[in-house]
């Protein structure tokens, strides 16, 4: 029961913290019907990871026009040649991971007279993942983003390595939190409002370590 699952997750988060934590319902591989259902259960932010699939569902099949109050976030790797489509679909790109992509997004948004929110995806845990910026390279990307008028930096995103070891998960999330605090002090907290970390398998630990946005697919749509 998708609506029950969604509500259980929201409840379990509110028992862990008094902070506001946004739940991104990850709708990759989910049908239009399932997306309508999760929206009626209360979801206000959806996450997608492939441009073609998201374009089909949200633009061609009209979900974006049907639910203008619902935000759609890109959470998968975005190739710079696909920024024009991305800009049509997404309110936020959580997976910003290069200067090149930032420049292309800024140019496309500039031409369209839009601005787009972004999070920098950080590869906190090292070799496990292909994508994301190394923690030591984040500052340089922040400096670059500050110069771009049509791209607004809102925070950081990360994934923990796939493991059921809570201490490894905790290490990763704590690392991202510390990085965010440090950068926030240096560049200003406006750029680091969002800490997007935690998925079905590890969102409770992420919330304990300071997440204010979690991205959940399986635990909502399967069971
Ligand atoms: C698929 C995905 C999620 C959701 O994962 P679940 O384990 O299904 O909750 C979260 N974040 C990213 C970046 C993803 O690709």
């Amino acid at each position: 029961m998708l609506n029950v699952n969604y509500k259980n997750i929201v409840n379990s988060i509110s028992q862990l913290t008094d902070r506001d934590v946004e739940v991104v319902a990850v709708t990759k591989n989910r049908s239009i019907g399932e997306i309508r259902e999760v929206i009626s259960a209360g979801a206000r932010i959806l996450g997608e990871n492939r441009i073609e699939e998201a374009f089909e569902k949200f633009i061609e099949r009209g979900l974006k026009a049907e639910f203008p109050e619902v935000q759609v976030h890109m959470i998968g790797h975005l190739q710079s040649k696909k920024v024009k489509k991305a800009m049509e679909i997404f309110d936020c790109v959580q997976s910003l991971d290069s200067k090149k992509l930032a420049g292309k997004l800024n140019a496309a948004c500039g031409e369209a007279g839009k601005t787009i929110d972004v999070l920098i995806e950080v590869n906190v845990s090292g070799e496990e993942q292909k994508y994301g910026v190394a923690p030591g390279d984040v500052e340089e990307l922040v400096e670059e983003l500050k110069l771009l008028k049509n791209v607004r930096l809102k925070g950081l995103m990360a994934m923990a390595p796939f493991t059921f070891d809570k201490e490894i998960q905790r290490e990763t999330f704590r690392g991202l939190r510390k990085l965010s605090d440090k950068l926030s002090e240096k560049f200003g907290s406006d750029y680091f409002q969002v800490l997007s970390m935690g998925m079905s398998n590890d969102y409770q630990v992420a919330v304990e370590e300071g997440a204010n946005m979690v991205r959940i697919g399986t635990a909502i749509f399967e069971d």
Side-chain angles (χ1 to χ4, degrees):
M1 289 292 284
L2 187 166
N3 59 334
V4 175
N5 291 346
Y6 180 80
K7 283 169 187 153
N8 284 344
I9 289 162
V10 171
N11 284 340
S12 83
I13 292 172
S14 68
Q15 275 157 23
L16 290 170
T17 181
D18 292 334
R19 284 176 289 111
D20 281 337
V21 178
E22 306 260 29
V23 175
V24 177
V26 176
T27 52
K28 65 188 187 203
N29 305 321
R30 305 298 167 185
S31 67
I32 303 274
E34 287 173 299
I35 294 174
R36 288 200 182 107
E37 240 185 289
V38 82
I39 292 171
S40 70
R44 286 298 169 268
I45 309 180
L46 309 178
E48 288 281 338
N49 73 338
R50 286 179 47 246
I51 291 289
E52 290 77 11
E53 180 187 336
F55 194 82
E56 194 210 318
K57 293 190 292 193
F58 287 89
I59 306 297
E60 291 173 355
R61 299 182 63 192
L63 273 183
K64 203 170 168 70
E66 186 177 340
F67 299 104
E69 75 284 11
V70 172
Q71 288 188 25
V72 191
H73 289 196
M74 176 60 169
I75 60 171
H77 181 65
L78 177 58
Q79 291 175 276
S80 9
K81 65 180 185 205
K82 296 188 178 163
V83 292
K84 285 224 167 84
K85 269 190 173 171
M87 182 193 74
E88 276 187 66
I89 311 164
F90 299 112
D91 302 283
C92 176
V93 173
Q94 296 201 10
S95 47
L96 189 87
D97 62 358
S98 73
K99 277 193 197 177
K100 182 180 170 198
L101 178 58
K104 297 256 174 164
L105 257 183
N106 187 60
C109 287
E111 268 177 45
K114 286 187 177 182
T115 56
I116 194 163
D117 290 346
V118 298
L119 307 182
I120 295 175
E121 180 174 357
V122 184
N123 185 354
V124 187
S125 57
E127 73 278 11
E128 298 269 347
Q129 290 135 230
K130 268 198 292 194
Y131 299 118
V133 181
D137 295 336
V138 175
E139 253 191 63
E140 198 185 324
L141 186 53
V142 176
E143 298 276 9
E144 180 77 13
L145 287 171
K146 283 179 63 183
L147 306 173
L148 304 179
K149 291 206 165 46
N150 298 79
V151 173
R152 273 190 310 239
L153 178 60
K154 286 295 172 78
L156 303 178
M157 182 270 254
M159 281 194 266
F162 184 77
T163 171
F164 289 97
D165 184 334
K166 295 245 174 303
E167 289 318 304
I168 294 176
Q169 296 167 355
R170 198 175 293 285
E171 278 294 292
T172 308
F173 298 139
R174 193 167 288 175
L176 191 72
R177 168 69 189 272
K178 283 189 179 155
L179 182 63
S180 173
D181 288 348
K182 188 180 110 190
L183 295 169
S184 186
E185 221 164 273
K186 175 156 183 177
F187 295 99
S189 55
D190 276 2
Y191 294 118
F192 297 97
Q193 297 168 30
V194 179
L195 206 50
S196 172
M197 53 188 198
M199 323 199 319
S200 295
N201 180 35
D202 54 18
Y203 72 90
Q204 287 103 336
V205 180
V207 169
E208 285 167 7
E209 294 302 327
N212 60 10
M213 186 176 280
V214 295
R215 308 175 309 271
I216 303 189
T218 314
I220 295 176
F221 294 98
E222 287 164 31
D223 267 337

